[in-house]
Amino acid sequence: MKNYQTIILSNLEISPGYWRMRILAPGFAAVAKPGQFVMLRPELALPTLLRRPFGIFRTGCLPPECAGLPAREYLEILYKVVGQGTRILSELHAGDRVELLGPLGQGFAINDNTCEKLLVGGGIGLVPLFLLADELIRRGHHVRLLMGGRTRDDILAVTEFERLGVETYVSTDDGSLGEEGLVTRVLERKLAKYPCAEVYVCGPMPMLAAVEQICRTRQVPLQVSLEAHMACGVGACLGCVVKGAGHSEERPNYLCTCKEGPVFAAGQLDWGRATTVDDGCPEGGCR
């Protein structure tokens, strides 16, 4: 974990309401793991504006601007404009300064077995899956990504995933892109075809709960990346706790999404109560 005082390299709207921000971050790629996140705020923001959590979409390196200068390492986040904090971010430009803390949290555990690797996400839920897909492919696995959204505007970064070599399947609720219907229907078909599989999912809690039920019924290993509002990102404020497996009033079992997650094995959570205080984070952070 490192505190960066750095600059934005680019900040572009990639779909209505969705933005991609590229941030200069020397040394970040070497330590970031799939599923981790960062806490971010503009340097000139109001003192009352806390850092916001955002999943790490991608890391990379640009050539130096001039001969003799070092290459420019960066990270990218994707976010959706839904409130004041993300609206402020969308108004920033290349060269604006930001404060960034990360990488934070526990990422995905990758098993090098022969089972099929199925990734499930949609909209901002795709964010932590890109680095995961990249790492799985680097290790020689075939990766299938099931992308879901309400409309075609919620389907992001298809080209980037396909360039990695990911086999993609798209579904939208309104049928405006890909198959019409829920992404969970696609998952059921794939698990019927590939019974030896591992599933990795990120998205809103109703989708996570549906995927958990499908995987539990079929006894398929599942890792989930939770979404939650956070104030600190390091487990100090306890604002992002989620109820763990076996939780009761007599024996409470609270898990900190930012420190013990945001990625959990499905069996770690109480799926009858596995909602955070704010029941998810529509701004796309906390992955």
Side-chain angles (χ1 to χ4, degrees), residues 212 216 220-224 243-246 253 255 264-271:
E212 187 276 334
R216 176 163 40 86
V220 172
L222 170 66
Q223 293 182 50
V224 299
K243 297 178 179 69
N253 179 26
L255 303 173
F264 295 94
Q268 292 179 263
L269 303 175
D270 182 343
W271 287 96

Side-chain angles (χ1 to χ4, degrees), residues 36-196:
Q36 291 186 299
F37 68 98
V38 298
M39 298 293 289
L40 177 71
R41 75 189 293 268
E43 191 174 83
L44 298 179
L46 296 173
T48 54
L49 184 64
L50 297 174
R51 284 189 174 107
R52 303 295 178 95
F54 295 95
I56 303 163
F57 175 64
R58 181 166 64 179
T59 60
C61 191
L62 294 172
E65 294 179 295
C66 299
L69 294 178
R72 294 171 293 164
E73 295 183 54
Y74 65 84
L75 70 94
E76 288 183 354
I77 63 169
L78 303 185
Y79 62 96
K80 184 177 182 180
V81 176
V82 295
Q84 180 189 25
T86 45
R87 178 186 58 78
I88 291 172
L89 286 183
S90 71
E91 295 170 353
L92 300 178
H93 303 281
D96 288 340
R97 302 194 66 83
V98 293
E99 299 174 4
L100 183 147
L101 181 67
L104 300 168
Q106 304 299 317
F108 291 101
I110 298 177
N111 298 314
D112 286 321
N113 53 33
T114 58
C115 290
E116 295 291 326
K117 310 300 182 185
L118 300 178
L119 281 52
V120 185
I124 291 301
L126 292 169
V127 171
L129 302 181
F130 187 85
L131 280 184
L132 173 62
D134 189 26
E135 181 62 24
L136 287 170
I137 288 174
R138 287 176 187 272
R139 296 189 183 200
H141 297 286
H142 185 82
V143 178
R144 292 176 172 86
L145 170 64
L146 316 183
M147 312 172 76
R150 293 176 181 170
T151 72
R152 64 184 303 126
D153 293 339
D154 301 310
I155 304 299
L156 309 175
V158 177
T159 301
E160 283 90 338
F161 278 99
E162 290 179 342
R163 284 174 178 167
L164 290 179
V166 175
E167 188 175 324
T168 59
Y169 301 83
V170 175
S171 59
T172 51
D173 295 354
D174 65 356
S176 56
L177 186 65
E179 178 180 329
E180 182 176 358
L182 300 177
V183 69
T184 47
R185 294 198 317 192
V186 184
L187 175 63
E188 289 180 306
R189 292 202 305 268
K190 294 303 175 187
L191 289 178
K193 186 175 181 179
Y194 306 109
C196 179

